[in-house]
Amino acid sequence: MRNPPESADIQKNKIMNKKHITVPALLKKKEDGEKIVVLTAYDFPFAKLADEAGMDIILVGDTLGIVVQGQESTLPVTMDQMVYHTRMVARAAKQALVVADMPFMSYQSGMEDTLKNAGRLMKEGGAAAVKFEGGVGITDRVEMLSRYDMPVMAHIGLTPQSVHRMGGYKVQGRSAGQARQLIDDAKQLESAGAFSIVLEGMPNALAKTISETLRIPTIGIGAGPHCDGQVLVMHDLLGLFTRFHPKFVRRYADFTAIAKEAFSRYGSDVRTGKFPNEAEGYE
Ligand code: KIV
């Protein structure tokens, strides 16, 4: 079978032999008003596709607990699993900056654990930066990692590791008090040295205020159109995760239908003796 033609963007990236996106390049994108595109990936083949399609950042999110492992939340994801998935993604990413999530209890448990686990994601996993959830309560960790030149992406608003405190995956920052707190969190995370910040599940107007207040780029998910960049979970974008469909997810493909159709054609070909044929064997 012939390979499908490459898109103009993929060809352009190859011709330009673009180097890896860097942390300073992302800050410059915000200064220049250029949107930052982020996608999650958890393994080599899909990370390679994301990289070749020109993603700025590939996030090895702890959402892998939900969309890959089939768990109810991200809480059971371990450090060893994050290192394993990050390594596969980093091997595939020739241009995108790879950011790896610090899973639940890899940084909440103390400063030493934070340093050791962030170090593992960069040294063993090959990530260029780490991400963790939280506001003013974790600025000491952000400061420490920044001091050791380990770039940190922060994450505030609907923080999935706090699902039990929030009482579900609920939009945050709707009351004036909560909104003030989130603005303060964002400012303090920037002062502590975070190079960017994910704003998840908050009103569009609040995300706009935070984006206009900060020098570092904001990356939105369920936070409206005014952030400096956007992130989506790959399995949501491809229509591979169908357990629920949050309002903010746009499905760009229906991989579930495509895969089911291919699997069922394969099954039928084997059952009817159409596959394999003589030419698909050896003499
Ligand atoms: O784990 C993840 O994939 C994330 C994104 C949804 C931002 O944190």
Side-chain angles (χ1 to χ4, degrees):
M1 208 169 83
R2 278 183 56 215
N3 288 333
E6 286 181 338
S7 76
D9 276 353
I10 295 176
Q11 285 174 5
K12 199 164 118 210
N13 284 347
K14 278 190 178 165
I15 291 161
M16 289 168 67
N17 190 20
K18 272 191 3 193
K19 296 260 161 49
H20 264 107
I21 303 266
T22 61
V23 165
L26 292 167
L27 295 170
K28 175 96 178 17
K29 275 185 190 282
K30 169 148 185 167
E31 276 169 32
D32 295 345
E34 227 185 283
K35 290 271 188 183
I36 296 167
V37 191
V38 187
L39 185 61
T40 70
Y42 315 101
D43 61 22
F44 183 89
F46 280 105
K48 187 165 182 291
L49 292 174
D51 191 63
E52 290 178 357
M55 296 301 114
D56 295 310
I57 297 177
I58 299 180
L59 171 65
V60 190
D62 60 359
T63 37
L64 69 87
I66 298 172
V67 300
V68 176
Q69 297 175 343
Q71 315 248 28
E72 288 295 318
S73 78
T74 58
L75 301 194
V77 176
T78 67
M79 263 311 296
D80 284 346
Q81 290 164 355
M82 287 308 303
V83 169
Y84 173 74
H85 286 276
T86 303
R87 207 181 289 136
M88 288 189 270
V89 169
R91 219 174 273 141
K94 302 289 179 231
Q95 290 165 15
L97 186 96
V98 175
V99 179
D101 244 338
M102 297 274 282
F104 182 58
M105 289 313 285
S106 67
Y107 57 99
Q108 291 92 339
S109 53
M111 298 289 271
E112 221 173 287
D113 280 354
T114 305
L115 184 57
K116 192 181 77 198
N117 289 324
R120 283 194 68 194
L121 289 171
M122 295 183 72
K123 197 179 171 83
E124 295 173 45
V130 298
K131 170 168 94 52
F132 44 81
E133 301 176 8
V136 288
I138 53 125
T139 48
D140 54 354
R141 283 135 175 87
V142 178
E143 234 163 54
M144 173 184 64
L145 294 187
S146 304
R147 207 175 331 121
Y148 291 118
D149 293 334
M150 299 160 89
V152 177
M153 176 182 270
H155 183 164
I156 61 169
L158 192 172
T159 44
Q161 290 178 19
S162 315
V163 60
H164 296 301
R165 171 182 58 76
M166 295 182 301
Y169 298 105
K170 294 181 180 159
V171 172
Q172 303 294 298
R174 281 210 161 115
S175 73
Q178 262 193 6
R180 263 197 310 277
Q181 181 60 57
L182 285 170
I183 294 169
D184 191 41
D185 284 340
K187 284 185 186 164
Q188 295 215 35
L189 288 161
E190 175 174 88
S191 303
F195 77 93
S196 69
I197 179 164
V198 170
L199 306 181
E200 178 165 359
M202 66 176 68
N204 298 358
L206 176 57
K208 182 170 190 281
T209 303
I210 294 175
S211 302
E212 287 169 356
T213 306
L214 300 187
R215 189 184 56 84
I216 58 171
T218 59
I219 309 294
I221 176 161
H226 308 291
C227 295
D228 304 303
Q230 177 66 38
V231 57
L232 273 182
V233 169
M234 184 183 283
H235 291 55
D236 286 338
L237 179 155
L238 293 178
L240 261 176
F241 181 76
T242 53
R243 207 167 79 212
F244 51 89
H245 186 170
K247 182 180 174 200
F248 60 81
V249 165
R250 190 178 296 180
R251 286 188 181 147
Y252 283 85
D254 188 354
F255 267 40
T256 296
I258 293 169
K260 273 190 186 162
E261 205 258 339
F263 297 159
S264 99
R265 275 200 295 124
Y266 163 64
S268 143
D269 282 357
V270 171
R271 287 185 190 109
T272 56
K274 287 191 191 143
F275 177 79
N277 61 24
E278 284 297 332
E280 285 161 328
Y282 298 97
E283 296 197 355

